[in-house]
Amino acid sequence: MNLQGFSMGAEELLKNHLLKIETRLNELMTFPQAAEEKLFSAARYAVFSKGKRLRPLLTLATTAALNGDIENALTPACVIEFIHSYSLIHDDLPCMDDDDFRRGLLTVHKKFDEATALLAGDFLLTHAFQVLADAPSLDEITRICLIRLVARRAGGEGMIGGQILDLEATASPIPMERMELIHRKKTAELFTAALEFGAIVSKASPKSLSEIEKLGQDLGLAFQIVDDVIDVIASQQKHGKALSSDEINGKTTYVSLLGLEKAQKAAEALLKKALLRIATLPNPEPLALLANSLVKRLM
Ligand code: GRG
């Protein structure tokens, strides 16, 4: 994490947010002893397997940036993490990326079995909506706004749409505009929802919500570019050459189109734009710190 120029206050606040997120996730993922034990175990395995919690942190940091109520934002923040966890379980399945490991642990279908992994993902997505619909501290209008927004961002023209476009794009190289569209849908849409959740809970004005949307898009795209860069650098370090998993799978990435250096520069330019927007918010420091650490994890 690049902490230069940030006060300890912002870092402490993010650490405190992280603890609150873990506690609320545990509360929302505690199930009575039931015949469906295997399903709940698989879902818990996915949610509590060393994820960085970036998206829920973004929800809370946006809430803090707008002087909103963190307690009200906690359950919505966890809902974003449930949807993220479901997407990773399904993304790892043999019919998609067919990965055996995630976060240094066996993927859910390897630890359990394929059918259980599929259902654990289905469950987490459904659970996310149930938790939002039942959220006791939110008024009904806020709950409907959140449900409508996340359904759109995670749905057929959002994250799931991005995934199908991504699968279709594996066969042959694609131009930059197409790749950016895929990245925006597959990764940036859920990032955007995470920030917008903080804004909605904080009762942001339509103008402020629209600024937060642009911020989420820029940060999400920057994060995905950095993910592509990390993939290449990690494989260089491991194998001593630039043959990343994306390259092995024949995937077009920012790095394959622009080269490593220009891809890094593209991410930095998006970060700069994002930081300018963040600076206009009432309490910008924690969100600025988080944005920096998302994009500068390698630089
Ligand atoms: C299967 C519907 C469906 C969607 C899958 C999110 C996604 C769409 C696929 C994941 C593929 C992938 C690795 C994309 C790169 C960006 C990304 C989402 C990285 C993982 O996010 P982190 O680093 O993960 O926040 P942790 O492990 O920290 O939770």
Side-chain angles (χ1 to χ4, degrees):
M1 224 188 237
N2 184 330
L3 303 177
Q4 271 181 350
F6 290 96
S7 69
M8 274 311 286
E11 196 191 349
E12 286 307 312
L13 193 80
L14 290 181
K15 281 186 188 155
N16 177 269
H17 285 174
L18 203 49
L19 289 177
K20 284 180 191 279
I21 289 164
E22 288 309 316
T23 306
R24 182 60 57 91
L25 281 173
N26 259 298
E27 288 164 5
L28 294 171
M29 290 292 289
T30 300
F31 306 103
Q33 281 284 330
E36 300 84 2
E37 175 58 30
K38 189 175 176 187
L39 176 74
F40 298 139
S41 296
R44 281 189 62 90
Y45 177 79
V47 171
F48 298 103
S49 60
K50 298 193 277 181
K52 295 182 287 298
R53 312 299 193 208
L54 297 177
R55 294 155 191 79
L57 279 172
L58 281 167
T59 302
L60 298 195
T62 305
T63 307
L66 297 168
N67 288 326
D69 183 340
I70 295 295
E71 290 307 313
N72 280 348
L74 260 177
T75 292
C78 293
V79 160
I80 298 281
E81 188 70 3
F82 293 151
I83 294 177
H84 170 60
S85 300
Y86 120 75
S87 78
L88 297 182
I89 299 175
H90 283 191
D91 188 62
D92 290 334
L93 284 170
C95 61
M96 301 235 187
D97 269 10
D98 194 11
D99 279 317
D100 292 352
F101 293 94
R102 175 169 292 278
R103 302 162 175 161
L105 297 170
L106 286 173
T107 45
V108 180
H109 65 275
K110 284 286 165 188
K111 177 81 179 174
F112 293 82
D113 55 69
E114 223 176 294
T116 305
L118 183 73
L119 291 171
D122 292 341
F123 167 68
L124 282 169
L125 177 60
T126 312
H127 190 53
F129 283 95
Q130 182 171 7
V131 163
L132 260 190
D134 288 344
S137 63
L138 302 173
D139 60 74
E140 287 190 359
I141 304 261
T142 305
R143 277 185 259 161
I144 300 263
C145 283
L146 296 174
I147 289 169
R148 183 185 290 135
L149 184 117
V150 76
R152 180 157 53 88
R153 297 261 177 243
E157 290 181 18
M159 183 180 73
I160 297 175
Q163 181 74 352
I164 189 110
L165 297 181
D166 193 44
L167 290 171
E168 284 171 0
T170 314
S172 53
I174 51 168
M176 175 63 100
E177 305 78 62
R178 185 69 169 181
M179 196 194 50
E180 185 177 321
L181 179 76
I182 294 172
H183 281 7
R184 283 193 184 278
K185 285 176 180 277
K186 194 179 88 164
T187 306
E189 284 284 315
L190 196 61
F191 259 72
T192 305
L195 280 101
E196 288 171 320
F197 265 28
I200 289 172
V201 166
S202 308
K203 310 267 183 230
S205 66
K207 185 166 175 279
S208 164
L209 191 58
S210 141
E211 282 297 300
I212 294 290
E213 177 187 352
K214 290 177 202 144
L215 173 57
Q217 282 290 338
D218 285 346
L219 273 183
L221 184 58
F223 177 81
Q224 180 60 63
I225 296 173
V226 171
D227 211 68
D228 289 352
V229 169
I230 288 175
D231 194 37
V232 170
I233 292 184
S235 80
Q236 277 174 348
Q237 283 167 350
K238 197 167 163 199
H239 308 295
K241 56 183 175 178
L243 201 64
S244 68
S245 61
D246 286 335
E247 283 170 305
I248 292 165
N249 295 330
K251 264 194 179 170
T252 309
T253 67
Y254 265 79
V255 180
S256 70
L257 286 180
L258 294 177
L260 209 50
E261 212 172 299
K262 280 195 180 155
Q264 276 175 322
K265 289 242 172 332
E268 280 184 68
L270 284 162
L271 173 66
K272 208 168 155 193
K273 233 168 99 189
L275 289 173
L276 285 174
R277 282 191 209 285
I278 293 172
T280 66
L281 303 175
N283 177 26
E285 273 218 344
L287 188 55
L289 174 59
L290 193 54
N292 255 290
S293 65
L294 290 181
V295 178
K296 299 214 165 169
R297 15 194 195 142
L298 247 198
M299 299 164 192

